[in-house]
């Protein structure tokens, strides 16, 4: 009977141990029960120690975890909050030459920081992110920037401040400083740029096809000021970017997938900056600080159709081959060209710009190969992609093209390679390299970039280490 009783007690205690595995209060009860049974002589001290082995350490670990978790508090109205961010160190070398073989080499050590928090509360959600870099197309800071030995500290800016609402299962509405919602490429939009205004996102599953739509109303220049009954010379005009995108993602076979979209983009004002028409510089201009054009940030006569697309092929050993491309045509390219001719200085400049003709198209085609073990990044994952892009001088908004490839400028064509390897699940090693040449030699490679020459050729090499959390 004692043997049967002992087995019953052991079973009861074991059940208590299993039930209380993750709960600190239950861990206390289990230890108390075993100690009581030992003191009553039902269990020997050796049997008691065997049953409670590891429970004291587990109890201390649970208490420590609960104490640590208690240090970070959020409002009770918030259902979920996620802290995220990354830190990156970069070595970069840029080189450019003009038609007179004048050159500039620029070597920099750089770093960046991003810190953000996302929250959810019922149907509402938010994204607040802080980063460095006052410019929209770069979050980087440069080592040793400023006066010799100054060791100046960097300013932190608001990168995103977004409030979102899940209106339905398939519709989201976002307002504030919002991440770019468009499916696109860096040829058209620098990845660091954000939109300011309203964004609507549609994600709808129709059979085996995932339909998506992205719509944006972004203030390129806000704070409109209209005067009446007095002199209107001080009026402030505004400019709003309007983007409308529809697309689909679907599986063609078990191993082949496709994604494509059609995007229409326009601006509500020819130039919200109060300046005149965009006029590219001349290709013959040389020396440092060369004029690359007049009113190069103007968005007059830009109304584009963009078609980004990709095909994915699943291979053996978790590998995937991607073929991708992007095509853009400025529907008002003829008008942008005519406006540039009319606004150019009479004589050589005007005649050269007219003779150069209209180039209002941009295109990109590339291939990528990757090996990923899971949907989430894992140590040992890697990817590589190679593409060629060709950008006409009147095709795209010079304010939006990528600051790295190709130096925030249009009228360039070239090739880009990017590779990535994960040293750990959250540590990324990246290598990027690119080379470009002038597309139309009569005109300048126009835009506000980091190389202070009228580029005839351009090279960029970057090595990054990024730590994400």
């Amino acid at each position: 009977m004692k043997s049967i009783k002992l087995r019953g007690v052991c079973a009861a205690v074991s059940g208590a141990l299993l039930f209380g595995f993750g709960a600190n209060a239950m861990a206390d009860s289990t230890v108390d029960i075993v100690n009581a049974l030992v003191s009553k002589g039902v269990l020997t001290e050796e049997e008691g120690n065997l049953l409670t082995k590891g429970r004291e350490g587990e109890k201390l670990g649970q208490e420590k975890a609960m104490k640590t978790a208690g240090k970070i508090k959020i409002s009770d109205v918030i259902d979920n909050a996620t802290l995220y961010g990354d830190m990156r160190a970069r070595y970069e070398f840029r080189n450019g030459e003009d038609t007179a073989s004048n050159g500039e080499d620029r070597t920099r050590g750089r770093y960046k920081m991003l810190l953000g928090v996302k929250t959810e509360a019922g149907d509402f959600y938010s994204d607040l992110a802080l980063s460095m870099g006052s410019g929209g197309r770069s979050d980087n800071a440069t080592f040793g920037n400023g006066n010799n030995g100054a060791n100046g500290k960097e300013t932190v800016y608001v990168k995103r401040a977004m409030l979102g609402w899940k209106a339905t299962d398939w519709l989201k509405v976002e307002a504030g400083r919002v991440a770019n919602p468009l499916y696109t490429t860096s040829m058209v939009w620098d990845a660091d740029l954000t939109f300011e205004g309203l964004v609507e996102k549609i994600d709808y599953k129709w059979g085996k096809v995932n339909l998506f739509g992205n719509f944006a109303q972004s203030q390129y220049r806000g704070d409109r000021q209209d005067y009446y009954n007095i002199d209107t010379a001080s009026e402030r005009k505004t400019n709003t970017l309007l983007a409308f995108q529809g697309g689909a993602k679907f599986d063609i076979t078990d191993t082949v997938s496709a994604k494509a979209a059609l995007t229409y983009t326009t601006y509500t004002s020819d130039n919200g900056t109060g300046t005149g028409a965009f006029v590219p510089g001349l290709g013959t201009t040389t020396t440092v600080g060369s004029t690359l054009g007049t009113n190069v940030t103007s968005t007059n006569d830009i109304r584009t159709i963009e078609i980004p697309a990709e095909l994915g092929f699943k291979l053996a050993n978790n590998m995937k081959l991607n073929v991708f491309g992007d095509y853009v045509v400025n529907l008002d390219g003829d008008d942008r060209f005519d406006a540039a001719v009319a606004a150019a200085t009479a004589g050589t400049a005007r005649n050269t710009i007219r003779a150069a003709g209209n180039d209002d198209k941009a295109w990109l085609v590339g291939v990528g190969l990757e090996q990923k073990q899971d949907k989430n990044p894992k140590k040992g994952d890697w990817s590589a992609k190679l593409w060629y892009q060709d950008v006409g001088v009147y095709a795209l908004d010079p304010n939006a093209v990528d600051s790295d490839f190709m130096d925030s400028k249009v009228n360039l064509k070239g090739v880009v390679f990017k590779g990535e390897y994960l040293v750990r699940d959250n540590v990324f090693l990246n290598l990027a390299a690119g080379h470009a040449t002038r597309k139309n030699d009569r005109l300048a490679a126009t835009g506000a970039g980091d190389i202070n020459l009228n580029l005839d050729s351009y090279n960029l090499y970057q090595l990054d280490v990024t730590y994400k959390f």
Side-chain angles (χ1 to χ4, degrees), residues 427-443:
V427 180
F428 298 72
L429 183 64
N430 294 87
L431 173 67
H435 171 73
T437 57
R438 184 104 53 86
K439 184 180 181 185
N440 190 324
D441 290 335
R442 294 175 183 264
L443 303 177

Side-chain angles (χ1 to χ4, degrees), residues 19 38 70 77 96 109 127 161 175 231 237 259 275 321 323 357 408 436 457 464:
F19 260 109
V38 171
V77 300
D127 181 13
D231 180 23
K237 301 300 181 183
K259 183 178 182 180
T275 59
L321 175 69
V323 179
S408 305
S457 67
D464 299 345

Side-chain angles (χ1 to χ4, degrees), residues 209-223:
V209 179
N210 290 320
L211 300 175
F212 63 89
N214 297 302
F215 312 95
Q217 305 87 51
S218 177
Q219 289 281 290
Y220 241 42
R221 178 179 169 91
D223 191 16

Side-chain angles (χ1 to χ4, degrees), residues 134-140 190-193 297 397-404 407-409 447-449:
S134 60
R137 284 187 278 192
S138 177
D139 295 341
N140 293 304
D190 187 294
D192 288 320
L193 286 174
T297 62
D397 178 3
N399 302 288
V401 296
D402 191 59
S403 61
D404 294 328
D407 201 42
S408 305
K409 295 180 175 68

Side-chain angles (χ1 to χ4, degrees), residues 1 31 188 202 221 228 314 447:
M1 292 295 293
V31 174
V188 183
I202 293 175
R221 178 179 169 91
Y228 51 92
K314 293 181 181 179

Side-chain angles (χ1 to χ4, degrees), residues 278-281 292-294 296 393 398 408-411 443-448 454:
F278 168 86
V279 181
L292 301 180
T294 306
V296 297
V393 68
S408 305
K409 295 180 175 68
V410 294
N411 193 32
L443 303 177
T446 302
N454 185 4

Side-chain angles (χ1 to χ4, degrees), residues 187-188 278 280 301-302 304 326-330 333 336-337 356-364 388-399 401 406 408-414 437-441 443-447:
M187 178 184 73
V188 183
F278 168 86
D301 305 304
I302 298 180
T304 62
D326 199 359
Y327 176 79
V328 182
V329 58
N330 181 8
R336 190 165 171 84
F337 165 67
N358 175 29
D359 189 353
D360 56 13
K361 298 176 180 62
W363 59 273
L364 175 154
Y388 178 88
Q389 66 182 52
D390 181 301
V391 178
V393 68
Y394 302 113
L396 300 175
D397 178 3
N399 302 288
V401 296
M406 306 290 182
S408 305
K409 295 180 175 68
V410 294
N411 193 32
L412 285 170
K413 57 183 180 179
T437 57
R438 184 104 53 86
K439 184 180 181 185
N440 190 324
D441 290 335
L443 303 177
T446 302

Side-chain angles (χ1 to χ4, degrees), residues 148-307:
N148 184 39
N151 195 24
K153 296 177 175 60
E154 296 298 328
T155 305
V156 174
Y157 299 88
V158 176
K159 183 175 180 66
R160 287 188 295 275
M162 178 273 291
L163 171 64
W165 174 45
K166 298 176 183 176
T168 68
D169 291 340
W170 51 269
L171 174 63
K172 294 180 180 179
V173 180
E174 298 177 352
R177 181 181 283 268
V178 183
N180 186 346
L182 300 176
Y183 167 54
T184 184
T185 64
S186 62
M187 178 184 73
V188 183
W189 290 102
D190 187 294
D192 288 320
L193 286 174
T194 55
F195 284 7
E196 297 177 79
L198 285 173
V199 163
E200 299 84 34
K201 299 178 179 179
I202 293 175
D203 189 358
Y204 185 81
K205 190 166 182 64
W206 180 48
K208 295 183 178 181
V209 179
N210 290 320
L211 300 175
F212 63 89
N214 297 302
F215 312 95
Q217 305 87 51
S218 177
Q219 289 281 290
Y220 241 42
R221 178 179 169 91
D223 191 16
R224 185 182 181 95
Q225 292 175 291
D226 293 316
Y227 291 87
Y228 51 92
N229 296 331
I230 57 174
D231 180 23
T232 60
S234 299
E235 285 187 346
R236 177 184 171 94
K237 301 300 181 183
T238 57
N239 190 18
T240 302
L241 179 152
L242 302 176
F244 309 86
Q245 181 179 77
K249 183 179 180 181
F250 55 94
D251 292 331
I252 300 174
T253 68
D254 291 340
T255 58
V256 181
S257 61
K259 183 178 182 180
L262 178 69
T263 310
Y264 173 77
T265 304
T266 188
Y267 300 82
T268 60
S269 174
D270 273 353
N271 50 80
T273 61
T275 59
F278 168 86
V279 181
L282 303 185
T284 54
T285 305
T286 60
T287 71
V288 176
S290 297
T291 300
L292 301 180
T294 306
N295 306 322
V296 297
T297 62
S298 289
T299 55
N300 63 289
D301 305 304
I302 298 180
R303 189 167 57 96
T304 62
I305 292 290
E306 179 188 3
I307 307 174

